Amino acid sequence: MKIVQAAQFDLRRDVEYGSEEQVAIVKRIVGDIKAEGDAALLRYTESLDHTKLEASQLRVTDAELQAAYSRVEPSFIEAIAAAAANIRAFHERQKRNSWMDLQPDGSLLGQIIRPLRRVGVYVPGGKAAYPSSVLMNVIPAQVAGVPEIVMVTPPATGGREGIDPYILVAAAEAGVNEMYRVGGAQAIAALAYGTDSIERVDKICGPGNIYVALAKREVYGLVDIDSLAGPSEIVVLADETADPEYVAADLLSQAEHDELASAILVTTSERVAEYVSAEVERQLSLLPRENIARASIENYGAIIVTGSLEEGIAVVNRLAPEHLEVMVQNPVDCLGLIENAGAIFLGPYSSEPVGDYFAGPNHIIPTNGTARFASPVDVDDFIKKSSLIQYSKQALLANAATIMELARREGLEGHARAIEVRVNKEGAARRAD
Amino acid sequence: MKIVQAAQFDLRRDVEYGSEEQVAIVKRIVGDIKAEGDAALLRYTESLDHTKLEASQLRVTDAELQAAYSRVEPSFIEAIAAAAANIRAFHERQKRNSWMDLQPDGSLLGQIIRPLRRVGVYVPGGKAAYPSSVLMNVIPAQVAGVPEIVMVTPPATGGREGIDPYILVAAAEAGVNEMYRVGGAQAIAALAYGTDSIERVDKICGPGNIYVALAKREVYGLVDIDSLAGPSEIVVLADETADPEYVAADLLSQAEHDELASAILVTTSERVAEYVSAEVERQLSLLPRENIARASIENYGAIIVTGSLEEGIAVVNRLAPEHLEVMVQNPVDCLGLIENAGAIFLGPYSSEPVGDYFAGPNHIIPTNGTARFASPVDVDDFIKKSSLIQYSKQALLANAATIMELARREGLEGHARAIEVRVNKEGAARRAD
């Protein structure tokens, strides 16, 4: 693993947003679903997913769900249930209350928090169908109070017959109410516009291929969407007390995701730098996904040696990584200085997979330097807020002159008159009291 | 004002996202600023804003700010200060704390809330330079704790020499630290990429023309941006107790904004419907902005009569308006049924301009039906969250088997090994204890 200067290193990678041809294909699919509904949905499911269905077969039945439960190991069901309980407990802490302020002049101001009514979660087929990602998308919505959570996923997963039973079980454990066997841009369009079989949603989330991503962009505004996830990243900040075997294993757990994934060590210790470099090579050769991990390490991996921990933290803040592990003597002491990191793992036992699968915080985290301004998926992503104003007559009359002055300053006489018409009537009424 | 059936009416309007030519122009400007920095910024300021500046003249000086204060009426300064105090007080209620959960196994989970470091606020020139919008963009950022808030605005406002002094005073009262006389796509690009004179920001907000909107889209991902605001809307929900003069004045205060603005009355009372229709006509003829308001009322205005209040609320939820006024006998009784509305004004004294200028809640509110899933601008728009995980050795060893099972189920052996390497070492160490 190469040792580089901090200044040379930039974590940002170019993320593909699709070719003109792909955009055109997606626009056509979305337009057809909007115009024809189920008919187009079934047609594209046949032509693109090679599955001929009737409208009545789109929804996954209870019997299929029961069958899925019987096809997976009991230990998997237990593991998913345990992870789901932790994820639920963590996200429960993020719930917020509506509030109101009662003013001495009789007015009331407030903020109402409501869950979205209906959310669609896309789950890709193929190798990227991760049960853990189902939990991470569904549970925050459920904790937010979203009454209707819908999953869509291609009719066959990873070359198998039908939908992967592990995905079905994870969705059921997470609390999905409805599941449909549709995928691709056609599924996104069905969620956004609604068809006879699939009622439209308020928000669509979950990862997918480039056609899914482009379709989400296409329908954004009509519904909300989550943000586009880039390739995954880890930065490990380590001093001389860090265990190089742990550091190397954690770097590789990220690198094995994707050839575009990035794994970076920032360390104050030359010894740790060299040891980790050698250890990465040793562990790499033993990994089933060696080719992917090696490409990631060679193209987007780096070891950066800094003169001090403060300098190392400055590098971290510049990189703004998705995942940050802090393996130094007193990790909590760094927290005040770490400005930009999506998820922070402290100490030797907080290996990133602890968070990917189990601890409770969400594993959908801002990538590609966007932790500077973005946040992990959470309950806030599934609520909406309404402001509330109830002014009393007293409050209106007391502040009318100020409001009218501001409105007239902006040339909006109609705004001023909406106040004035009340002052003329109520002010007079008050004088007559 | 026309009386229509609910089913006929759709609030959504097509919002312009720019022609191909405009997109190409913006891409070129953004590319030039990225490549050349200040040199391109000054060149575009000369060619597009007809103002020749040196780099040293970009920043607004303290002396200019003092001069602005001396050019505006003391009553305006007082009005802006009073509004700012209300807006600040309301947004203070939205602040959130970092939190942590300490587990009995010694682990710690938490969520860290931090303000963004640096935010840019765009203020348009011309007639759309509203002091109130400066407050509504800046104060939530300031309350969130953003240490650096930068305003950019074209070098001349509304045909005047220099920047409108009312804008400068509003920005200073709101708490802007730095102000620059640059506008258009070139200002957005400078904020996103940074130049020698203007340091790059983490988020850009504030309204602007189509070039500004396209430039924000172009730099999104590198920085955060706010959402695209569509034309403004009001829906008034009224029963037979509503005062038709008030209803008409409030509808017109929205209609005068923009020919694309929409003003809709939903009422259970035929009498109120007819009275409001006549009253709108009477008040329209007295408005300085009659032409704009009339076009809005004719094209996007409507009166919808419903058989019951519940039916009226169903119409409101379908329209999901930016502003909703509830002028019925017991407005609070409706609150539980209103699902979709950006800001809710209850009772006869809560005219929309009360909220536009003064009461405290933000006046930047989701438009075009997006209140179904989006929220008014608030403190949350200027923070970022980091998840925090510190697992204890005990917690890791107790849950290792579950984590490894889930990782291996997903085919991610590297993830499992990051746990296993610790179990092998620490488990062994524990057995030796």
Side-chain angles (χ1 to χ4, degrees):
Chain A
M1 208 172 164
K2 60 182 177 293
I3 300 183
V4 301
Q5 296 302 308
Q8 284 175 256
F9 205 82
D10 187 356
L11 196 53
R12 289 186 67 83
R13 286 143 295 176
D14 285 330
V15 180
E16 206 211 333
Y17 289 116
S19 66
E20 275 182 44
E21 195 195 338
Q22 289 169 323
V23 171
I25 291 169
V26 165
K27 277 184 192 287
R28 200 186 61 220
I29 295 173
V30 170
D32 286 350
I33 300 288
K34 181 182 176 186
E36 300 174 57
D38 277 347
L41 187 58
L42 295 171
R43 201 168 66 236
Y44 281 115
T45 300
E46 184 171 1
S47 65
L48 300 175
D49 281 331
H50 315 293
T51 308
K52 193 167 168 58
L53 298 172
E54 312 269 324
S56 64
Q57 298 172 301
L58 286 171
R59 187 161 176 177
V60 174
T61 63
D62 286 348
E64 283 173 274
L65 201 52
Q66 291 313 315
Y69 268 91
S70 69
R71 284 170 65 196
V72 306
E73 302 77 14
S75 66
F76 172 79
I77 301 174
E78 278 167 39
I80 277 287
N86 285 348
I87 297 165
R88 194 165 283 125
F90 185 85
H91 289 79
E92 284 284 346
R93 287 292 309 259
Q94 297 169 332
K95 286 179 76 169
R96 304 166 71 178
N97 293 320
S98 299
W99 54 264
M100 59 179 180
D101 259 345
L102 298 164
Q103 316 278 319
D105 61 14
S107 298
L108 180 161
L109 300 176
Q111 189 178 54
I112 300 170
I113 310 277
R114 282 203 183 76
L116 304 188
R117 193 182 63 77
R118 189 169 163 87
V119 166
V121 177
Y122 189 90
V123 177
K127 282 177 298 179
Y130 292 145
S132 60
S133 294
V134 176
L135 302 188
M136 295 293 183
N137 274 298
V138 172
I139 293 175
Q142 205 202 24
V143 171
V146 176
E148 299 176 18
I149 304 175
V150 185
M151 180 175 85
V152 294
T153 190
T157 314
R160 286 176 235 246
E161 274 290 300
I163 301 169
D164 182 349
Y166 296 93
I167 292 295
L168 290 178
V169 168
E173 291 293 321
V176 171
N177 313 107
E178 301 173 39
M179 308 177 193
Y180 297 94
R181 61 186 101 253
V182 285
Q186 60 273 25
I188 300 298
L191 290 172
Y193 289 99
T195 71
D196 286 342
S197 298
I198 303 179
E199 192 193 331
R200 74 166 187 167
V201 302
D202 298 315
K203 176 164 188 163
I204 301 172
C205 55
N209 65 18
I210 186 70
Y211 296 99
V212 169
L214 289 172
K216 280 159 70 177
R217 284 196 144 198
E218 189 67 23
V219 300
Y220 174 60
L222 183 65
V223 296
D224 196 17
I225 60 169
D226 56 1
S227 54
L228 232 62
S232 201
E233 306 140 8
I234 191 172
V235 171
V236 179
L237 177 68
D239 65 11
E240 71 287 353
T241 67
D243 185 320
E245 275 187 71
Y246 296 177
V247 174
D250 293 356
L251 292 172
L252 288 173
S253 79
Q254 198 55 225
E256 77 168 345
H257 265 297
D258 185 347
E259 292 173 3
L260 289 171
S262 170
I264 295 165
L265 168 63
V266 177
T267 182
T268 52
S269 162
E270 288 277 1
R271 186 191 65 82
V272 167
E274 277 162 33
Y275 193 161
V276 168
S277 181
E279 185 64 20
V280 162
E281 187 51 45
R282 189 187 70 80
Q283 293 186 21
L284 244 181
S285 62
L286 303 170
L287 267 191
R289 292 165 72 99
E290 177 184 354
N291 288 347
I292 294 172
R294 188 176 294 281
S296 156
I297 292 288
E298 279 174 9
N299 294 319
Y300 301 104
I303 296 175
I304 299 170
V305 181
T306 62
S308 68
L309 198 55
E310 290 67 30
E311 198 190 320
I313 294 172
V315 172
V316 167
N317 283 333
R318 191 163 60 71
L319 297 176
E322 182 188 15
H323 306 94
L324 171 67
E325 290 188 359
V326 185
M327 288 202 245
V328 301
Q329 187 141 33
N330 297 303
V332 168
D333 296 355
C334 300
L335 271 185
L337 300 174
I338 298 166
E339 265 204 55
N340 302 324
I344 304 171
F345 298 75
L346 298 181
Y349 309 114
S350 310
S351 177
E352 197 211 295
V354 166
D356 289 342
Y357 289 109
F358 193 74
N362 210 290
H363 80 195
I364 306 163
I365 306 171
T367 56
N368 224 15
T370 59
R372 260 170 63 223
F373 51 78
S375 305
V377 164
D378 71 4
V379 169
D380 289 344
D381 293 311
F382 298 99
I383 61 157
K384 60 195 171 190
K385 303 165 219 167
S386 301
S387 304
L388 186 63
I389 298 177
Q390 178 168 317
Y391 247 39
S392 64
K393 188 202 272 194
Q394 184 191 339
L396 182 75
L397 295 175
N399 298 299
T402 304
I403 299 170
M404 290 191 282
E405 161 138 19
L406 290 169
R408 289 188 168 123
R409 168 56 45 208
E410 295 186 355
L412 296 173
E413 179 64 24
H415 284 60
R417 291 195 187 163
I419 304 299
E420 200 168 53
V421 64
R422 289 164 163 92
V423 173
N424 288 344
K425 209 178 253 190
E426 309 287 346
R430 194 167 61 159
R431 280 191 296 277
D433 279 349
Chain B
M1 205 171 166
K2 61 180 174 294
I3 299 181
V4 301
Q5 296 303 307
Q8 284 175 255
F9 205 83
D10 187 356
L11 196 52
R12 290 186 67 84
R13 285 144 295 177
D14 285 330
V15 179
E16 206 212 332
Y17 289 117
S19 66
E20 275 182 43
E21 195 194 340
Q22 289 169 323
V23 170
I25 291 170
V26 164
K27 278 184 192 286
R28 200 186 61 218
I29 295 173
V30 170
D32 287 350
I33 301 287
K34 182 182 174 186
E36 300 174 57
D38 276 348
L41 187 58
L42 296 171
R43 202 167 66 237
Y44 281 115
T45 300
E46 184 171 0
S47 65
L48 300 176
D49 280 332
H50 314 294
T51 307
K52 194 168 168 56
L53 297 173
E54 313 268 325
S56 62
Q57 296 172 303
L58 286 171
R59 187 161 176 176
V60 174
T61 63
D62 286 347
E64 283 172 275
L65 202 52
Q66 290 314 315
Y69 267 90
S70 70
R71 284 170 65 196
V72 306
E73 303 77 12
S75 66
F76 172 79
I77 301 175
E78 278 166 38
I80 277 288
N86 286 348
I87 297 165
R88 194 165 283 125
F90 185 85
H91 288 79
E92 284 284 347
R93 285 293 309 260
Q94 296 169 332
K95 285 179 77 167
R96 304 166 73 178
N97 293 320
S98 299
W99 53 263
M100 59 179 182
D101 259 346
L102 297 165
Q103 315 280 319
D105 61 14
S107 298
L108 180 159
L109 300 175
Q111 189 179 52
I112 300 170
I113 310 277
R114 282 202 183 78
L116 304 187
R117 194 181 63 76
R118 189 169 163 88
V119 166
V121 177
Y122 190 89
V123 177
K127 282 178 297 180
Y130 292 145
S132 59
S133 292
V134 176
L135 303 188
M136 295 294 182
N137 274 297
V138 171
I139 292 174
Q142 205 203 23
V143 171
V146 176
E148 299 176 18
I149 305 175
V150 185
M151 180 176 86
V152 294
T153 191
T157 315
R160 286 178 235 245
E161 275 291 299
I163 302 168
D164 182 349
Y166 296 93
I167 292 296
L168 291 177
V169 168
E173 291 294 320
V176 172
N177 313 107
E178 301 172 39
M179 308 177 192
Y180 297 95
R181 63 186 99 252
V182 285
Q186 61 272 24
I188 300 299
L191 289 172
Y193 289 100
T195 72
D196 287 340
S197 298
I198 303 179
E199 193 194 329
R200 74 166 187 169
V201 301
D202 298 315
K203 177 164 186 162
I204 301 172
C205 55
N209 64 18
I210 186 69
Y211 295 99
V212 169
L214 289 172
K216 279 159 71 177
R217 285 196 141 198
E218 189 67 23
V219 300
Y220 174 59
L222 183 65
V223 296
D224 195 17
I225 60 169
D226 55 2
S227 54
L228 233 62
S232 201
E233 305 141 9
I234 190 171
V235 171
V236 179
L237 178 68
D239 66 10
E240 70 289 351
T241 67
D243 184 320
E245 276 187 72
Y246 297 177
V247 173
D250 293 356
L251 292 172
L252 288 174
S253 79
Q254 199 54 225
E256 75 168 346
H257 265 297
D258 186 346
E259 292 173 3
L260 290 171
S262 171
I264 294 167
L265 169 63
V266 178
T267 181
T268 52
S269 162
E270 289 277 0
R271 188 192 63 84
V272 166
E274 277 161 33
Y275 194 161
V276 168
S277 181
E279 185 63 22
V280 162
E281 188 50 45
R282 189 187 69 78
Q283 292 187 21
L284 244 182
S285 63
L286 302 170
L287 266 191
R289 292 164 72 98
E290 178 184 353
N291 289 347
I292 294 172
R294 188 175 294 281
S296 156
I297 292 289
E298 280 174 9
N299 295 318
Y300 301 105
I303 296 174
I304 298 171
V305 181
T306 62
S308 69
L309 198 54
E310 289 67 30
E311 198 189 321
I313 294 172
V315 172
V316 167
N317 284 333
R318 192 163 59 71
L319 297 177
E322 181 188 14
H323 305 95
L324 171 67
E325 290 188 359
V326 185
M327 289 203 245
V328 301
Q329 187 142 31
N330 298 302
V332 167
D333 296 355
C334 299
L335 272 185
L337 301 174
I338 297 166
E339 263 203 58
N340 302 323
I344 304 171
F345 298 76
L346 299 181
Y349 310 114
S350 310
S351 177
E352 196 211 295
V354 166
D356 288 342
Y357 289 110
F358 193 74
N362 210 290
H363 79 196
I364 306 164
I365 305 170
T367 57
N368 224 15
T370 58
R372 257 172 63 223
F373 50 78
S375 305
V377 164
D378 71 5
V379 169
D380 288 344
D381 292 311
F382 298 99
I383 61 157
K384 61 194 171 191
K385 304 165 220 166
S386 302
S387 304
L388 186 63
I389 297 176
Q390 177 168 317
Y391 248 39
S392 64
K393 189 203 274 194
Q394 185 192 338
L396 182 75
L397 294 175
N399 297 299
T402 305
I403 299 169
M404 289 190 284
E405 161 140 19
L406 291 169
R408 289 189 169 124
R409 169 57 45 208
E410 295 187 356
L412 296 173
E413 179 63 24
H415 284 60
R417 291 196 187 164
I419 305 299
E420 200 168 50
V421 64
R422 287 165 164 90
V423 172
N424 288 343
K425 210 178 254 192
E426 310 286 347
R430 194 168 62 157
R431 282 192 295 276
D433 280 348

